[in-house]
Amino acid sequence: MEAELNSGETEDHFRRILASTIPSTTASTDEEALQILIDSSRTSHGRSALSEILPTVLRLLRSLPDHHPFLLPSLRLIRNLCAGDASNQNSFLLFNGVDEVSSLILGDADPQIVRAGLQVLGNVSLAGEDQRDAVWGRLFPKGLWELARVRDRCVADPLCMIIYTCCDNRGRLIELSGDQGLSIVSDIIKTASEDEFREDWLPLLLSKISLEESYFPLLFDKLGSADGITSEQAFLVRLLAENLDQRFNEVAISDAFSLAVLKIVDRASRAINFVSRGTSSLPTGDPAIDVLGYSLIILRNICAREDLPQTSVDSLILSGLIRLLLGLLRDLEPPTNIRTVLKNSDVIMKACPYSGFRRDVVAVLGNCAFRRKQVQDEIRNENGILLLLQQCSVCDENPFSREWAIWAMRNVFEGNEDNQNEISKLECQGAVDNPCITELGLRVEWDQNSGRARLVNITT
């Protein structure tokens, strides 16, 4: 074993290595020499050429006092050396690097030191199970909890990288889903929500916990308050909605997540008074409204996923999705054009809480009705056909709601003779206007043979 060196001896030893590694004419100071090494270690060839220096840099870290000028550049050098280089990653583990770096970043450390140290551990964690075991064993739960409470966005991203990488193991994922683990994640979300932080690793981590697994309800409740829906809960749902939207066909979705979102729609809709007509699109800044809106967007995308098992959407249908959405639509004031005609009506109805609410409700219904006869039938049985037809009118505060309504009605009628007969009856009774049906590319005609009205496609 090499004898332990004190701080001065280690620095002298390190300077000799710097001198032998870098031509003396290249760098005039130790700091410049370190920066040259950092730059060189950005390439795979440089990392390989500098592999023998890693143990010395680790010993240097052990001996340096806080705030030493070598500290941060040394961490950055190690970070680069361990970026995808198996030899350096194994050497880091062999020379107790996990403990050395963890000791540096825990406690009242400078956020830049914490960030660089976490980047080191994140790169090392990518090497394999041995490295992930060492990092997780050293930091979970107390160390991760302490780091999660550092209210700095620069710390949150590499911390999420470590947690996400380590939790490819089922056992560690189960540990993360416990009370201590979810407290760590909720603290990260609180930090991120303060300044709208949403870099790559946080959405990936939340996707793993919430969309693919069954832990979303626990995490959502962890962020809650006795006073109602919180801004942190709204931020969580927004991130998941955006992630699902951007990675539409990539993200696996569990039944547990879908059903939890449906319950949240019901809960959020009860927390909103629907008195004031919202003029802002999402996000509005009102947590309950934002949770409702982004939850509807999530359901819209879930119902549009043809790759999901049929049972995923079936579970939503059996749990009352159609009845809930038709109820929200039925209580809502009609679109602008119809409101103009009914302006003298004494009936008090609910207003759209944000710009696009009507569109989002209709979009979920439209996607859900696509080639699903049970949904088509339920809409008819719940007296929803006329209600959906009314949404085909222009609505100023709901961009594209008319287009979504036309899509929904096409799906409600497609291949469903009972629904086609229903709209034919409504037209003959004068309950709907001809232009409304014409917009759908349809016309009602009287069939002399059957003695009843029927729907004819006029677009072919």
Side-chain angles (χ1 to χ4, degrees):
M1 292 288 291
E2 186 175 344
E4 189 71 25
L5 303 175
N6 62 38
S7 175
E9 291 173 328
T10 304
E11 288 187 46
D12 289 340
H13 182 51
F14 189 61
R15 287 190 175 95
R16 288 195 295 273
I17 291 178
L18 289 177
S20 64
T21 306
I22 302 171
S24 58
T25 56
T26 307
S28 57
T29 66
D30 295 331
E31 287 74 14
E32 287 183 13
L34 261 173
Q35 188 58 50
I36 291 171
L37 291 181
I38 291 170
D39 293 339
S40 177
S41 63
R42 296 182 190 278
T43 67
S44 58
H45 175 74
R47 288 190 286 271
S48 178
L50 294 171
S51 59
E52 293 183 1
I53 202 174
L54 182 62
T56 302
V57 183
L58 285 172
R59 286 197 297 273
L60 179 68
L61 286 180
R62 187 182 307 134
S63 66
L64 291 178
D66 294 342
H67 310 298
H68 193 284
F70 278 2
L71 199 56
L72 183 57
S74 296
L75 281 172
R76 288 172 174 165
L77 175 58
I78 297 172
R79 174 198 63 195
N80 291 356
L81 291 173
C82 292
D85 188 285
S87 175
N88 285 323
Q89 290 166 333
N90 292 332
S91 181
F92 183 87
L93 194 61
L94 179 65
F95 285 90
N96 202 27
V98 171
D99 192 60
E100 297 297 340
V101 172
S102 298
S103 298
L104 273 177
I105 62 178
L106 295 174
D108 190 21
D110 181 274
Q112 289 191 73
I113 297 294
V114 176
R115 175 180 171 80
L118 288 173
Q119 289 172 334
V120 170
L121 297 177
N123 285 346
V124 170
S125 297
L126 294 171
E129 273 299 297
D130 289 343
Q131 284 81 356
R132 289 191 275 273
D133 265 340
V135 171
W136 190 260
R138 178 65 175 82
L139 294 179
F140 184 85
K142 186 177 178 181
L144 293 181
W145 180 80
E146 179 181 321
L147 293 165
R149 296 177 72 85
V150 177
R151 294 290 187 251
D152 192 306
R153 62 182 299 170
C154 293
V155 170
D157 189 53
L159 181 59
C160 289
M161 176 189 181
I162 291 172
I163 297 172
Y164 176 83
T165 304
C166 287
C167 285
D168 68 339
N169 175 288
R170 189 68 187 173
R172 291 191 285 268
L173 182 59
I174 291 173
E175 284 188 306
L176 186 67
S177 68
D179 187 64
Q180 289 179 317
L182 291 180
S183 293
I184 292 168
V185 178
S186 65
D187 273 321
I188 294 174
I189 293 172
K190 289 174 183 177
T191 298
S193 66
E194 289 176 359
D195 57 3
E196 294 291 304
F197 160 80
R198 50 165 57 76
E199 292 186 32
D200 292 342
W201 289 105
L202 178 58
L204 287 173
L205 176 60
L206 295 179
S207 176
K208 181 189 288 286
I209 296 171
S210 301
L211 300 179
E212 302 171 24
E213 301 293 336
S214 57
Y215 309 125
F216 172 65
L218 296 174
L219 181 57
F220 186 83
D221 289 343
K222 197 82 175 174
L223 294 166
S225 165
D227 297 329
I229 295 174
T230 66
S231 59
E232 290 84 6
Q233 288 175 317
F235 182 75
L236 168 63
V237 178
R238 177 184 177 185
L239 274 187
L240 293 173
E242 291 174 347
N243 191 31
L244 186 56
D245 204 40
Q246 294 165 4
R247 303 170 62 217
F248 183 72
N249 289 317
E250 303 173 24
V251 181
I253 300 173
S254 67
D255 282 1
F257 173 72
S258 300
L259 293 175
V261 173
L262 177 59
K263 290 179 180 178
I264 288 172
V265 168
D266 186 28
R267 174 180 167 185
S269 64
R270 296 174 189 274
I272 299 170
N273 58 29
F274 291 92
V275 171
S276 300
R277 189 178 300 148
T279 57
S280 171
S281 57
L282 296 174
T284 65
D286 183 301
I289 293 175
D290 288 344
V291 163
L292 175 60
Y294 286 115
S295 296
L296 287 171
I297 291 172
I298 289 172
L299 291 177
R300 180 196 70 197
N301 284 332
I302 289 175
C303 292
R305 287 275 294 268
E306 296 184 27
D307 63 310
L308 290 179
Q310 189 67 24
T311 53
S312 296
V313 180
D314 287 346
S315 297
L316 288 169
I317 296 167
L318 290 172
S319 298
L321 171 65
I322 305 304
R323 188 176 298 108
L324 174 61
L325 295 177
L326 288 175
L328 290 173
L329 209 54
R330 189 171 285 115
D331 292 341
L332 203 62
E333 61 184 6
T336 309
N337 284 4
I338 300 178
R339 280 205 310 269
T340 303
V341 176
L342 301 176
K343 60 183 178 180
N344 295 324
S345 173
D346 293 330
V347 179
I348 298 176
M349 303 189 76
K350 294 180 178 179
C352 289
Y354 66 89
S355 177
F357 174 71
R358 183 191 309 280
R359 173 201 63 215
D360 293 340
V361 173
V362 172
V364 180
L365 286 165
N367 284 350
C368 199
F370 182 69
R371 296 177 183 173
R372 293 187 180 97
K373 189 175 185 301
Q374 73 271 35
V375 176
Q376 297 171 335
D377 291 342
E378 185 173 357
I379 289 174
R380 182 186 70 253
N381 294 331
E382 292 288 332
N383 298 317
I385 290 181
L386 178 58
L387 179 64
L388 280 176
L389 276 171
Q390 291 173 342
Q391 313 311 313
C392 294
S393 297
V394 172
C395 187
D396 294 340
E397 66 270 17
N398 284 274
F400 303 109
S401 65
R402 175 179 173 275
E403 288 75 11
W404 274 107
I406 291 173
W407 160 254
M409 292 314 304
R410 286 185 182 278
N411 294 340
V412 167
F413 292 142
E414 184 183 24
N416 193 306
E417 188 176 343
D418 289 334
N419 283 359
Q420 293 178 14
N421 290 336
E422 182 77 12
I423 189 61
S424 301
K425 293 176 187 176
L426 289 171
E427 200 278 339
C428 289
Q429 295 167 5
V432 295
D433 296 328
N434 278 325
C436 186
I437 299 175
T438 303
E439 284 179 346
L440 299 173
L442 303 169
R443 181 177 69 237
V444 176
E445 290 184 352
W446 187 261
D447 189 337
Q448 297 290 345
N449 295 326
S450 64
R452 59 194 299 185
R454 67 187 180 94
L455 214 56
V456 177
N457 191 332
I458 61 176
T459 60
T460 58

